[in-house]
Structure formats: C-alpha cells, structure tokens
Amino acid sequence: MATVLSVSGSPSPSSRTGRLLRHLDQRLIAQGHEVVPLDVRTVPAEALLGADFRHPAIAGAAELFARADGVVVGTPVYKASYSGVLKALLDLLPQYALTGKTVLPLATGGSTAHVLAIDYALRPVLTSMGAAHIVQGWFTLDQDIAVHEDGSLTIAPAAAGALEQVVDHFSAALGRTPLLAAAG
C-alpha cells in the first residue's frame, strides 16, 4: 500500500492533536499503509526560526515529504489559523513538496468558531505546495477528545465516526493518487 507521512503541527508534547493523529495512524496501518510520524515540535527551534534550509533536521523532514505517497497534516487552531510551528516547517520545505501527494488536513480547537481554519488558512498553503488531491478535512473540538491518565484516548462517538470516514476516504484516495499524478 501507500507510505503516509503523519505530521503533527502541535508545539505541545501532550497535545490532543498529536495524540489524535497517532490514534488515526493506527487505522491507516490496519488498512495496510506504512505510516511515518513526524512531530514538528521535535525539529530544532534554531533550524525552524533561523530558516536554516541546510539543517539536517530540515533536510530530513523534506526527505520524509518526498518519500510519502500521502500526507496527513494535523494542527491545533490558534487565533483562527494553523500553528506557527507548522507554518515554520512548511515555509522551509521545497515550494512543490506536495506535488503528486494526496493530503488529509485535520485540525483541533476549543470552539466551532475555528471550524473554517482548514479551508481558509491551511488548504491554500497545501494547494500552493502542489498537492495532487486534498481530501475533505475535519475539525474536531477539544472537548470531543479525552486523554486518560494512562495515555489512552477516547473520542466522542459522533466525532469518532466522522474521523473514521475522512480517514477511510483519504485511504481510498491514496490508491488513486498514482493515476492522478501520471495524468498530470
């Protein structure tokens, strides 16, 4: 099957966004995909903030994007947009790092007032980076994601069902990506 890069754009090591992505990674693995996680917060700040394109961590991240057939991009929403740490990484990738890729944008946030952040903030950047196909994304309220003391995760039933659908749609779209890329 496909290789999927699962990118968490959260700056927090205990974020709901990161935990949600790692949970969804398991669904993609169960469907036969190879999933490679990337937590942007682990990229050295001096490389991100200093715009050091030659830093080994930036070069490594660019290589992960290049090898992936599909990319899941997850971010918390801050002030109606995706996270600054995610923006810093995307700015350092090659202009067309998503060419030929199927992309699934996901976001988490505290209010439904931020539900359009995927379409108005994140999607234009992903499009400008050459994504072949950006599937319907999903915004999940923080209150619908419960993290337990043992690290396990519970997602509210309605949100869990919707997330399963968007992940399954992304998975199905991955199978069509080579045809889309070859046709272009």
Side-chain angles (χ1 to χ4, degrees), residues 128-150:
S128 76
M129 294 178 73
H133 181 54
I134 302 172
V135 299
Q136 181 65 44
W138 192 258
F139 176 87
T140 304
L141 285 167
D142 287 342
Q143 70 188 24
D144 289 340
I145 306 167
V147 179
H148 306 288
E149 286 184 28
D150 65 357

Side-chain angles (χ1 to χ4, degrees), residues 4-10 17-18 20-22 24-25 28 36 38 40 65 70-76 82-83 85-87 89-90 93 98 101-108 118 121-123 125-126 129 131 134-139 170:
V4 176
L5 180 60
S6 179
V7 181
S8 172
S10 176
T17 304
L20 178 63
L21 281 171
R22 300 299 80 92
L24 297 175
D25 291 350
L28 290 167
V36 178
L38 173 61
V40 180
F65 275 86
V71 180
V72 178
V73 178
T75 182
Y82 56 97
S83 72
V85 70
L86 178 60
K87 172 71 169 143
L89 177 64
L90 294 176
L93 294 174
L98 296 176
K101 316 262 184 237
T102 298
V103 180
L104 170 60
L106 299 171
T108 61
I118 290 174
L122 188 55
R123 186 177 296 273
V125 173
L126 300 174
M129 294 178 73
I134 302 172
V135 299
Q136 181 65 44
W138 192 258
F139 176 87
F170 170 71

Side-chain angles (χ1 to χ4, degrees), residues 77 107 111-120 138-140:
V77 175
S111 165
T112 56
H114 300 300
V115 73
L116 294 177
I118 290 174
D119 290 329
Y120 291 105
W138 192 258
F139 176 87
T140 304

